[in-house]
Amino acid sequence: MADKGGLEGVVVARSRLCSIDGQKGVLIYGGYDVNDLAEHSTYEEVCFLILRGNLPTAPELDAFTRELAESRALSEETAQVVDMLADHAEPMEMLRTAVSSDSFDDPDKNSNAEDANFRKATRLIAKMPTIVARYDRRRHGLEPIESDPSLPHAANFLRMLSGEEPGQSAAKTFDVALILHADHEMNASTFTARVIASTLSDMHSAITGAIGALKGPLHGGANEQVMKLLEAIGSEDAVDAEIRARLDRKERIMGFGHRVYKTYDPRAVILKRFSRMLAAESSEPYWFSMSEKIEQAVIAEKGLYPNVDFYSASTYHYLGIETGLFTPIFAMSRVVGWAAHVIEQHSDNRLIRPSSEYVGPPPRPYVPIEARGQDAAA
Ligand code: ACO
């Protein structure tokens, strides 16, 4: 068994989807560098690439974009679940529950065939933003906003959330953020999805489990913790002392470090540019400048680099998104990666069933209930 546990360095699947060079800070989806995709593509194109293995031709992109836009509306049942949860459930609890319940009336729910899985993947990618936006509006006592089929995926979500069509820079920033979160090799939530799929369970079950794994603060939940860190530090002047104090107390600085990257996470580099750009247009430039100072302090003190969650926090904040929605937004994007991994797992499946090393008591005689605890009492 590996000394440190955590399956570090263990290869659990062969995948055509995504690769990472953690020493060089390179991330590739289906052969394309994420920098090129962020610059030239849209989230819709990247979804097609991840699901189908190639960037779409213009007619393919038109058809896929239309299919996504037509799939955005929620069924009455899913809408009711979201409304019921709006007052009580936290955002990730709501998303986990709503996505699970969305299988009830899915016409393909009993099929793991590739075609059925593609249809379910497309519907989930389309519906998750509607779920998140509807929940957020309901919990603020506002009416949900219908999707606008003429708007791209990213801009439509921002409009469904705020009621206003976003400007060009907000729409581009959000689209890039979705691209950057779309897939990431064998991360914890993707592994969860693949384990569930390997039992020949269905797409919705795998995505529901993956949402549960993403929720944790060591994984996708870190982006919300980063915003809380920025708010707690409060000013640029307080950064150095606060970071040192936290590290002295052996606390983790959220948004730093990564199992695979030993240098800059390329997604953080791209998001930093967007955060800087939005800061320059904002009346609150300090969220960015504070972030940059934290980055310098953590590199100097600990040699740890920012991961994707670090600059996504200030970026989303500048877009006017509440902190509690940061991780659901991560899930809204990552659903395409999870779904593609489920399809890949189903296409060449063997049950994922590792082993554990037993370190419990050696075999011992059964003790009847009347006799239990006598050793302790003696
Ligand atoms: N702050 C302070 N110290 C850290 C941090 C951090 N963010 N990350 C790692 N370390 C330290 C650990 O304390 C440990 O030190 P030690 O050897 O002195 O005990 C050492 O670095 C190695 O840490 P591990 O936990 O073994 O490394 P692992 O590969 O398991 O950790 C992880 C990866 C979980 C991402 C870690 O870096 C972390 O907790 N980061 C903060 C949470 C975070 O940002 N998560 C998002 C990751 S990206 C994503 O999931 C989308």
Side-chain angles (χ1 to χ4, degrees):
M1 183 174 169
D3 282 345
K4 288 178 88 180
L7 295 181
E8 182 167 355
V10 176
V11 174
V12 297
R14 302 178 75 198
S15 176
R16 63 158 182 83
L17 298 170
C18 176
S19 85
I20 302 172
D21 184 332
Q23 300 300 327
K24 294 194 180 126
V26 176
L27 169 60
I28 283 171
Y29 298 161
Y32 295 99
D33 191 302
V34 79
N35 279 286
D36 292 334
L37 294 169
E39 192 169 342
H40 303 296
S41 269
T42 60
Y43 180 67
E44 284 88 331
E45 279 184 89
V46 168
C47 284
F48 190 97
L49 166 67
I50 291 173
L51 287 172
R52 300 286 181 173
N54 283 304
L55 283 170
T57 61
E60 283 171 339
L61 181 60
D62 276 354
F64 182 62
T65 302
R66 207 171 325 111
E67 199 186 339
L68 275 175
E70 284 168 2
S71 306
R72 287 176 185 156
L74 304 182
S75 68
E76 212 171 297
E77 290 76 9
T78 302
Q80 277 174 8
V81 168
V82 173
D83 291 353
M84 186 183 75
L85 295 173
D87 284 340
H88 308 291
E90 289 175 17
M92 284 298 275
E93 289 177 309
M94 177 286 300
L95 190 62
R96 192 186 58 208
T97 310
V99 166
S100 175
S101 69
D102 194 54
S103 77
F104 299 165
D105 60 358
D106 192 295
D108 292 307
K109 69 176 177 181
N110 290 320
S111 174
N112 288 338
E114 197 167 81
D115 274 7
N117 272 344
F118 278 126
R119 288 191 293 272
K120 285 190 276 192
T122 306
R123 287 197 282 271
L124 280 165
I125 295 165
K127 286 180 204 305
M128 277 172 62
T130 315
I131 290 173
V132 175
R134 184 179 182 102
Y135 161 82
D136 194 58
R137 295 200 55 93
R138 283 281 188 230
R139 71 178 175 154
H140 289 108
L142 300 166
E143 277 301 306
I145 291 171
E146 294 276 304
S147 116
D148 178 345
S150 72
L151 285 180
H153 193 78
N156 178 63
F157 171 72
L158 293 176
R159 182 181 163 277
M160 285 195 300
L161 199 61
S162 71
E164 283 168 30
E165 200 171 316
Q168 230 180 344
S169 78
K172 173 68 184 168
T173 303
F174 194 65
D175 188 61
V176 169
L178 293 180
I179 291 173
L180 297 178
H181 288 83
D183 195 22
H184 209 233
E185 206 228 20
M186 199 51 66
N187 59 87
S189 55
T190 297
F191 180 55
T192 306
R194 285 192 85 126
V195 169
I196 295 173
S198 84
T199 70
L200 297 184
S201 186
D202 64 289
M203 176 72 75
H204 282 80
S205 299
I207 304 294
T208 303
I211 292 171
L214 188 77
K215 180 172 177 281
L218 294 188
H219 191 11
N223 56 12
E224 297 181 14
Q225 301 305 320
V226 171
M227 200 61 224
K228 290 178 184 157
L229 174 75
L230 292 172
E231 284 161 351
I233 294 180
S235 79
E236 241 183 283
D237 294 343
V239 165
D240 286 339
E242 185 62 30
I243 292 298
R244 207 165 303 126
R246 284 173 187 250
L247 290 174
D248 286 347
R249 294 197 297 269
K250 304 264 177 242
E251 286 177 22
R252 287 183 183 229
I253 311 298
M254 291 295 155
F256 286 86
H258 198 274
R259 176 61 64 79
V260 183
Y261 294 116
K262 299 304 165 204
T263 178
Y264 278 98
D265 176 337
R267 303 165 300 173
V269 176
I270 298 171
L271 283 169
K272 181 175 178 181
R273 285 205 298 272
F274 281 93
S275 178
R276 188 200 299 276
M277 175 192 83
L278 295 173
E281 297 167 2
S282 156
S283 58
E284 300 176 356
Y286 45 83
W287 300 114
F288 174 76
S289 46
M290 217 193 306
S291 302
E292 201 173 32
K293 195 142 188 224
I294 295 172
E295 176 191 330
Q296 289 158 0
V298 179
I299 292 175
E301 293 278 335
K302 198 77 189 168
L304 288 170
Y305 292 88
N307 58 50
V308 68
D309 288 321
F310 189 64
Y311 282 103
S312 65
S314 50
T315 302
Y316 294 155
H317 187 79
Y318 283 130
L319 292 178
I321 297 170
E322 266 185 37
T323 305
L325 297 186
F326 291 2
T327 316
I329 285 170
F330 191 152
M332 255 168 55
S333 162
R334 181 58 60 82
V335 63
V336 63
W338 293 331
H341 278 271
V342 168
I343 294 169
E344 200 173 60
Q345 185 68 37
H346 279 161
S347 74
D348 183 18
N349 187 57
R350 184 156 189 244
L351 177 73
I352 298 175
R353 199 296 186 194
S355 308
S356 59
E357 180 187 347
Y358 181 65
V359 294
R364 45 185 170 166
Y366 182 77
V367 185
I369 193 160
E370 315 79 64
R372 287 177 211 160
Q374 283 175 2
D375 284 357

